[in-house]
Amino acid sequence: MAVSGSFRFKKVVQGSFMKQCRISRPLLLAVDANIDNLWLLSMSLELFGLSHICIDQGKYAVEAAKRYHPELILLDIVMSDLDGIAVANSLRAEPMTSDIPIIGMTAMVTWEYPECLPIHIFDKFLTKPYMLDDLEGIITGCLSKTNSCLAIPA
């Protein structure tokens, strides 16, 4: 699937792709190695009127979180370079990022789920494919817990 339209990536750091939208609203960090999933997530966040940065490699997520200090991180679990669990552990260990809420996301659902995943490191968890209402509800809930004046714009 080709990336087109208003969705454009800007190369920032050695293969890391980031997109920054309007900064005046809550800033989210979206991390997913699957570029199509990242594009869909970005379009959803734009639909919700949220500023966001997209990263397609886990190894750049911690760096981006320390640099931009987003209000919320949407983090895929399965990534080829550094999985979401390792990224979440690194974020929790960093004093600058330990307080940022993290929503874990995955399509890897088995009969062992969620016992097979250390989901305790995430503030919330969302399985793919997800409904937009579910995504919006989880984001709204996390943003309202971090700061009462941050919410999805009406």
Side-chain angles (χ1 to χ4, degrees), residues 25-26 48-50 139-140 143-144 146-154:
R25 299 191 180 184
F48 302 153
L50 294 168
I139 291 172
T140 301
L143 289 177
S144 65
T146 59
N147 187 339
S148 60
C149 65
L150 293 177
I152 292 180

Side-chain angles (χ1 to χ4, degrees), residues 11-17 56-57 60:
K11 186 165 179 147
V12 175
V13 182
Q14 301 175 347
S16 166
F17 295 98
D56 70 339
Q57 295 179 28
Y60 297 116

